[in-house]
Amino acid sequence: MLLSNMELLATAPGGVAKLRELILTLAVQGKLVPQDPADEPASVLLQKIRAEKDRLMAEGKIKRDKPLAEIGEEEKPFELPAGWEWVRLGSTMEMLNGRAFKPSEWMDAGLPIVRIQNLNNPNASFNYCDPSTVVDKNRIDDGAFLISWSGTPGTSFGAFIWSRGAAALNQHIFKCVLIGRVFLPEFLRLSINSQLNVLIAQAQGGVGLQHVTKGVLENLVLVLPPLAEQSRIVTRVEALMRLCDALEAKGQLEAAQHAQLVSTLLGTLTASTTPEELAAHWQRVAQHFDLLLDRPEAIDALEQTLLQLAVRGLLVPQDPTDEPASALLQKIRAEKDRLIATGQIKQGKPLPPITDEEKPFELPVGWEWVRWANVAMKIGDIDHKMPSEAKDGVPYVSPRDFYGTNEIDFDGAKKIAYSDYVELASKIRPEAGDLIYPRYGTIGVVRKVTTDREFLASYSCAVIKVLPGFIEPDYQYLFSVSGCAKAQAASATNKTTQPNVGLKSIQEFLVPLPPLAEQSRIVTRITALRRLCVDLRQRLAERQSVQARLAEALVQEVA
């Protein structure tokens, strides 16, 4: 049943990870390989643990341990196969914590120090120490059984078998001395790792770094199968995990090939130079529509392609009777001169002329290349000061408050004192129709203001104020999220502590300006096409949800 459905399970969202989890679940429930009544039962192994502990305590090699609590019926999540037993982890081993090495003890060469990252990532670099300073209990070699008990849930916790030679063990990792040889290390590792959700649920600490106490680990309840069956289970699990690796590699290869196909076919669209050429290339894409758009990232790529076609003048036909953009520019200059003369806006600094080398592509007849600041009423930001917080104050939004398709989380945003709002808003106040352009972090995730409520955009954002009646606000928005704007942002980005784009660079972005009537046609067309993309995403999400439910049903049936 499992083998016949592995490929189906692997194609569901997160399928391979769920498949690995299912394999471990089946392994520790005794459902992966058949039981053999001739195997020595685990009850004999429990006797061996007690006898070995008594011997080691008599020889003074280990301290007399405190008895662990009896395993209650409520701690047994399923019925055990014949010959199996329940056991607490602490009764099968002695746990020795690593040493807290100080940075002053690190060396460029010597004995490698094993930290958590060296367990999770074989390519992680080592720190080194003087071998003569390390006592035996903190030394490990190949075959050492280790449990990482501190770190980030989902990435750091777990059991490992060391295989990279002699080393010193850092703190936050237990070296486990197995008692009585009742567990095969390989089975014990997969058994502990099948219970990580139980351990993480009992982890202590903050949101980031957390730790599982020694007491929690010692009281972890595990299954103890006969040794011979442990060996059969490990062999079976390793074979199935290799199949998972192959399915994962196949999925990654298919994803890469799909991305290449999408990139190639959509690339032919943006390479079109005439509407006729675009129509021919679109016909080729349409033939592979179902194949192309079966992944969310493909729909994202299609939407970006449509935006790029829009700002190149290839999405709607030109109308020779439209007033050309050159005449529109004269009207914009006259309007901005009027606003300057009446004191409504300030005279900006002269912008550099546009050279032919700067122009990323050729424009249709009637279009013009312009600097963004030439066609916006104003592009600016507030003073770079930290306003006072106020519980019920005015929203002070930053890029972290952007979510969804075109939303701003005003409720979750930081709130500032009204007096600070009044002072800072005197420089630039966002209004409906304006754009908020992040200058730091995820640059280019632009938000359109759809409300006249009082709020401010922090100085990590630029505010682009529209010039009503001269520029279609939604055309300015679709330019801001198009590849044309993103490419300019990428070339202007300063990579310091975090990526950022200067206000001057944004003001000098090149905007492909169509006639005003064509701007309106483009907006109407792109709005309809983006709604289609939303519908495609919804249908894809519904299909993936069905896949996930089917996979979940198969998992429950197999388990």
Side-chain angles (χ1 to χ4, degrees):
M1 180 70 172
L2 176 62
L3 276 177
S4 61
N5 289 292
M6 279 189 76
E7 191 139 5
L8 176 60
L9 287 168
T11 57
V16 175
K18 291 176 182 175
L19 194 52
R20 293 185 194 277
E21 186 179 335
L22 174 61
I23 290 166
L24 290 181
T25 299
L26 295 174
V28 299
Q29 290 183 3
K31 297 178 179 179
L32 211 53
V33 299
Q35 279 75 49
D36 186 342
D39 289 342
E40 180 181 71
S43 55
V44 176
L45 299 179
L46 290 178
Q47 296 170 11
K48 288 182 179 179
I49 292 176
R50 191 66 262 166
E52 179 69 5
K53 278 196 167 185
D54 290 342
R55 184 185 68 80
L56 292 171
M57 285 188 286
E59 294 174 2
K61 293 183 178 178
I62 63 172
K63 296 178 181 179
R64 182 167 296 278
D65 57 342
K66 294 179 181 178
L68 294 169
E70 290 289 328
I71 299 172
E73 290 302 317
E74 71 283 357
E75 296 181 90
K76 302 172 183 178
F78 50 84
E79 191 79 20
L80 288 180
W84 289 40
E85 297 286 345
W86 292 105
V87 66
R88 291 201 189 275
L89 180 63
S91 67
T92 69
M93 62 175 60
E94 184 182 14
M95 300 179 193
L96 305 172
N97 196 18
R99 171 179 157 190
F101 285 91
K102 299 175 183 177
S104 59
E105 297 177 281
W106 295 347
M107 302 171 64
D108 294 330
L111 191 65
I113 301 172
V114 178
R115 297 173 293 164
I116 291 172
Q117 53 263 52
N118 301 118
L119 298 178
N120 293 296
N121 178 10
N123 298 316
S125 60
F126 285 109
N127 290 328
Y128 295 87
C129 65
D130 182 348
S132 66
T133 65
V134 182
V135 297
D136 285 345
K137 77 168 190 173
N138 295 136
R139 286 177 176 268
I140 60 171
D141 213 325
D142 289 346
F145 195 91
L146 309 174
I147 297 178
S148 170
W149 55 269
S150 183
T152 305
T155 60
S156 302
F157 297 123
F160 302 84
I161 299 174
W162 184 249
S163 61
R164 298 172 65 190
L169 196 63
N170 197 47
Q171 65 176 340
H172 302 145
I173 306 170
F174 284 128
K175 179 171 78 170
C176 305
V177 182
L178 307 187
I179 296 173
R181 299 189 180 278
V182 299
F183 272 121
L184 290 180
E186 294 79 8
F187 179 84
L188 181 58
R189 174 179 59 186
L190 70 87
S191 184
I192 293 172
N193 289 342
S194 74
Q195 298 294 304
L196 289 184
N197 60 329
V198 175
L199 293 173
I200 290 170
Q202 300 177 77
Q204 300 177 4
V207 175
L209 188 66
Q210 297 187 338
H211 62 272
V212 177
T213 65
K214 187 177 182 181
V216 167
L217 282 168
E218 287 176 334
N219 281 284
L220 183 67
V221 176
L222 297 177
V223 293
L224 179 62
L227 268 174
E229 189 170 349
Q230 290 182 38
S231 180
R232 295 195 299 273
I233 291 171
V234 167
T235 301
R236 184 67 169 150
V237 167
E238 288 175 348
L240 290 173
M241 289 301 183
R242 284 194 294 271
L243 276 176
C244 287
D245 292 341
L247 288 170
E248 193 167 46
K250 180 185 176 187
Q252 290 170 348
L253 177 61
E254 288 175 350
Q257 290 172 335
H258 185 274
Q260 182 60 49
L261 176 63
V262 169
S263 176
T264 300
L265 288 176
L266 295 184
T268 63
L269 299 181
T270 52
S272 304
T273 55
T274 65
E276 294 75 22
E277 192 178 344
L278 173 63
H281 289 153
W282 179 255
Q283 190 61 39
R284 189 178 300 115
V285 169
Q287 292 171 0
H288 303 281
F289 215 66
D290 290 342
L291 175 64
L292 279 172
L293 302 178
D294 67 344
R295 299 167 191 255
E297 57 271 20
I299 300 173
D300 295 342
L302 172 66
E303 188 168 18
Q304 268 301 310
T305 299
L306 294 171
L307 290 170
Q308 192 67 358
L309 293 173
V311 299
R312 290 187 60 184
L314 293 169
L315 206 57
V316 300
Q318 278 75 50
D319 186 340
T321 64
D322 287 343
E323 181 183 69
S326 56
L328 177 61
L329 277 175
Q330 292 175 7
K331 292 180 179 180
I332 290 172
R333 290 190 193 102
E335 174 64 9
K336 293 188 80 172
D337 287 344
R338 184 188 71 79
L339 293 171
I340 292 167
T342 56
Q344 295 180 59
I345 62 172
K346 292 182 179 179
Q347 176 80 52
K349 294 180 180 178
L351 296 166
I354 298 171
T355 64
D356 288 339
E357 292 76 21
E358 287 181 276
K359 300 172 183 177
F361 48 81
E362 190 149 345
L363 294 177
V365 173
W367 289 44
E368 294 288 338
W369 282 110
V370 294
R371 302 279 184 198
W372 205 347
N374 285 140
V375 293
M377 181 184 289
K378 184 177 182 181
I379 298 178
D381 59 4
I382 64 171
D383 290 330
H384 292 203
K385 62 170 280 187
M386 190 59 67
S388 304
E389 289 196 49
K391 184 178 179 182
D392 298 315
V394 179
Y396 182 75
V397 305
S398 66
R400 68 177 175 221
D401 303 310
F402 295 176
Y403 69 96
T405 305
N406 187 33
E407 301 293 331
I408 300 173
D409 183 11
F410 292 107
D411 294 334
K414 175 182 174 180
K415 305 299 188 296
I416 63 170
Y418 194 80
S419 57
D420 281 344
Y421 161 74
V422 171
E423 177 188 347
L424 294 171
S426 63
K427 185 176 179 184
I428 191 161
R429 176 187 179 275
E431 298 171 289
D434 295 346
L435 303 181
I436 310 295
Y437 189 101
R439 301 197 299 110
Y440 290 84
T442 310
I443 295 163
V445 183
V446 185
R447 291 295 175 262
K448 181 172 57 178
V449 182
T450 58
T451 176
D452 273 323
R453 71 177 292 171
E454 293 182 322
F455 80 97
L456 280 184
S458 76
Y459 54 77
S460 61
C461 301
V463 176
I464 294 98
K465 299 194 73 64
V466 298
L467 198 59
F470 297 89
I471 296 292
E472 182 73 42
D474 285 335
Y475 177 79
Q476 191 164 243
Y477 169 71
L478 72 88
F479 158 73
S480 72
V481 294
S482 71
C484 181
K486 289 179 178 179
Q488 294 181 72
S491 63
T493 297
N494 303 305
K495 293 180 175 64
T496 52
T497 52
Q498 62 174 323
N500 68 87
V501 175
L503 188 63
K504 182 173 180 289
S505 295
I506 297 170
Q507 292 169 340
E508 294 181 4
F509 278 6
L510 292 186
V511 179
L513 184 69
L516 186 58
E518 189 171 348
Q519 291 178 37
S520 182
R521 294 197 298 273
I522 290 171
V523 167
T524 300
R525 181 69 172 145
I526 202 70
T527 300
L529 290 171
R530 293 188 86 186
R531 276 200 300 266
L532 171 64
C533 289
V534 170
D535 183 55
L536 287 170
R537 288 189 186 94
Q538 179 63 33
R539 283 193 282 171
L540 181 58
E542 289 171 358
R543 193 176 79 189
Q544 289 179 331
S545 177
V546 170
Q547 275 186 303
R549 289 199 300 272
L550 178 59
E552 191 64 34
L554 282 170
V555 166
Q556 291 174 359
E557 185 177 346
V558 172

